[in-house]
Amino acid sequence: MRIIVGITGGIAAYKAPELVRLLKKAGHEVRCAATEHALEFVTRVTLETVSGAPLYSNLFASGRTEHISLKDWGEILVVAPATANIIGKVAGGIADDALSTLLLAFSQKPVIMAPAMNCEMWAHPAVQRNVALLKSWGIRMVGPEEGELACGVNGVGRMAEPEQIVDAVCQSESLKLKGERWLVTAGPTYERIDSVRFIGNYSSGKMGFALAEALAKQGADVELVTGPTYLNVSNCQHINVHRVESAREMYAAATEAFPRCQGAILSAAVADYRPAECADHKLKKQGDEGMTLQLVQNPDILATLGGMKRESQRLVGFALETDHELENAQGKLKRKNLDYIVMNSLRDKGAGFGTDTNKVTILAADGSRKESPLLSKKEVAEMIVQEVTS
Ligand code: C5P
């Protein structure tokens, strides 16, 4: 891999050359980027000698946009040591030197940080909040470890050993779905009746959002096509959110994305029908005899993708059933040319729409079957991803 090692100004910077040496020994190409304060602890000559490449430390030195060309070159950025300062800058979106600017430019690529600081600094609520924020964006933290610190006290704050950081880099290289793109649909669809009314359903989108996060956690890039929901993704580095309203909009976004994907999980609760006409004004009451709304059928996105599916692609559907659950789900699996169908029954307490929990049975095209107990939607998502990508 092409790895950028970012070094900031903490005493643990003296271990950075060793980290660079180990990464090179493991067969990676390495370039270094350092803050001005890092160069108080480790010299430019040392970093350029061990990496075999020029050091990037001055935003303005070359008069070119080096932070962008370096971002394009690197496949992963490892910041070791990461001071409270650089963690805070990234959390606050500050880019006032070479490394912090590079870090912001790296928002679509994997970043690993190895924090190192005094234990009381590490425990500060601001640092803890910033670390939690960075983690929620998909930045991985290695350490810090407990032990003797440079200031002479014992506590949590020691930078992880270079070998441990190298292991974390290798792990991120071996993520199961790295380099794959997956499509997920989530949430309800709204089908307009007039300028102020729609036909919808109670789907919250929680299951689909949890699936997108679980796929991204395994290294996949995700195209998440969602109907109206208040949810947001936490891993925005790897999840591209397309917000749509109606089944036809979802159809357009999903059929556009699917050919570029290795697989798709369709968990959206798509309306089967929509009003034949949508009035461009608010419909008025029409006397006492009631009103008839004519509905026409929506396209079936899952069945369409089933028809488009290439040999190498995997397609997973959902079946929310109230009766004859297994029979119905197995019928859909065949009819829509799926590899898996995830069945949930509204008869199971805690399963289905709106809840934070779910209980599912995953049926495979080869006839095998896996059941989950009642779990959080996050846990169910991880189980589904594990099953359909193995
Ligand atoms: O046939 P049924 O609607 O029960 O199938 C449910 C599955 O089909 C879900 O995976 C859902 O996301 C998908 N679906 C779809 N387009 C539709 C209706 C359902 O993709 N119009």
Side-chain angles (χ1 to χ4, degrees):
M1 275 201 296
R2 291 185 302 275
I3 303 171
I4 303 168
V5 174
I7 304 128
T8 63
I11 180 66
Y14 82 88
K15 293 185 185 169
E18 176 64 1
L19 171 64
V20 174
R21 196 186 67 80
L22 291 174
L23 289 170
K24 297 257 307 184
K25 205 171 139 201
H28 304 294
E29 265 185 83
V30 182
R31 291 192 192 171
C32 295
T35 62
E36 200 186 321
H37 291 155
L39 297 179
E40 298 284 335
F41 295 93
V42 58
T43 70
R44 170 180 296 274
V45 177
T46 308
L47 293 171
E48 292 190 338
T49 308
V50 284
S51 69
L55 174 75
Y56 176 54
S57 63
N58 186 336
L59 198 48
F60 307 107
S62 61
R64 285 179 284 118
T65 50
E66 206 173 338
H67 57 293
I68 303 300
S69 45
L70 193 54
K71 177 270 292 179
D72 290 339
W73 177 86
E75 290 173 275
I76 185 165
L77 172 50
V78 186
V79 185
T83 55
N85 186 44
I86 196 75
I87 292 170
K89 278 198 209 174
V90 176
I94 293 170
D96 65 351
D97 65 1
L99 182 59
S100 55
T101 307
L102 176 66
L103 270 157
L104 288 204
F106 227 77
S107 66
Q108 300 302 315
K109 292 185 169 185
V111 175
I112 297 180
M113 285 192 172
M117 66 198 77
N118 164 272
C119 50
E120 281 157 36
M121 289 173 72
W122 173 250
H124 194 289
V127 174
Q128 289 303 310
R129 178 203 57 195
N130 292 341
V131 166
L133 190 58
L134 265 49
K135 279 188 183 169
S136 78
W137 294 337
I139 294 180
R140 285 185 57 206
M141 298 287 160
V142 189
E145 304 297 315
E146 190 170 355
E148 196 185 335
L149 306 176
C151 49
V153 299
N154 263 294
V156 179
R158 265 177 80 89
M159 186 175 88
E161 290 304 324
E163 290 78 5
Q164 233 180 306
I165 302 172
V166 173
D167 284 350
V169 173
C170 294
Q171 254 177 34
S172 100
E173 188 186 22
S174 65
L175 282 178
K176 194 158 109 190
L177 301 180
K178 190 166 182 277
E180 292 199 8
R181 184 175 299 279
W182 279 69
L183 164 70
V184 175
T185 67
T189 63
Y190 286 1
E191 310 298 327
R192 285 180 186 224
I193 299 171
D194 64 15
S195 57
V196 294
R197 304 181 180 94
F198 62 84
I199 298 173
N201 61 64
Y202 293 117
S203 168
S204 62
K206 284 178 186 165
M207 195 62 241
F209 273 64
L211 284 163
E213 301 276 0
L215 287 163
K217 210 168 137 186
Q218 290 299 328
D221 287 311
V222 181
E223 303 295 338
L224 172 60
V225 181
T226 177
T229 156
Y230 294 109
L231 302 176
N232 286 308
V233 290
S234 49
N235 187 345
C236 24
Q237 266 196 37
H238 294 288
I239 305 175
N240 189 13
V241 185
H242 310 256
R243 295 194 186 267
V244 298
E245 188 179 286
S246 65
R248 283 189 297 175
E249 286 169 13
M250 188 173 277
Y251 177 90
T255 50
E256 186 279 320
F258 189 55
R260 295 184 278 120
C261 295
Q262 272 70 31
I265 308 182
L266 270 55
S267 68
V270 186
D272 291 328
Y273 294 91
R274 66 177 185 276
E277 280 172 39
C278 165
D280 58 5
H281 56 278
K282 186 180 167 198
L283 292 172
K284 294 274 180 293
K285 264 193 229 116
Q286 292 176 354
D288 297 332
E289 47 309 337
M291 177 184 174
T292 305
L293 198 59
Q294 171 141 28
L295 300 178
V296 293
Q297 205 164 4
N298 270 328
D300 190 314
I301 307 165
L302 186 57
T304 306
L305 300 194
M308 293 165 68
K309 192 172 71 153
R310 297 189 302 268
E311 186 68 25
S312 60
Q313 286 177 305
R314 272 156 292 173
L315 184 58
V316 185
F318 267 67
L320 178 67
E321 305 290 342
T322 52
D323 55 87
H324 300 97
E325 290 91 339
L326 267 179
E327 250 173 270
N328 289 341
Q330 267 155 349
K332 275 176 209 174
L333 181 76
K334 286 217 171 63
R335 226 174 25 251
K336 301 194 189 190
N337 190 26
L338 312 181
D339 299 290
Y340 297 89
I341 194 150
V342 181
M343 184 196 89
N344 41 22
S345 166
L346 276 188
R347 285 198 283 190
D348 286 323
K349 223 170 159 270
F353 281 173
T355 58
D356 285 322
T357 52
N358 210 353
K359 182 173 184 300
V360 301
T361 304
I362 305 172
L363 306 174
D366 67 7
S368 63
R369 181 190 310 182
K370 184 159 186 174
E371 278 182 42
S372 79
L374 187 69
L375 296 169
S376 72
K377 283 192 172 162
K378 223 174 136 178
E379 289 165 319
V380 171
E382 277 175 11
M383 180 183 144
I384 293 170
V385 168
Q386 175 68 30
E387 198 60 22
V388 306
T389 60
S390 57

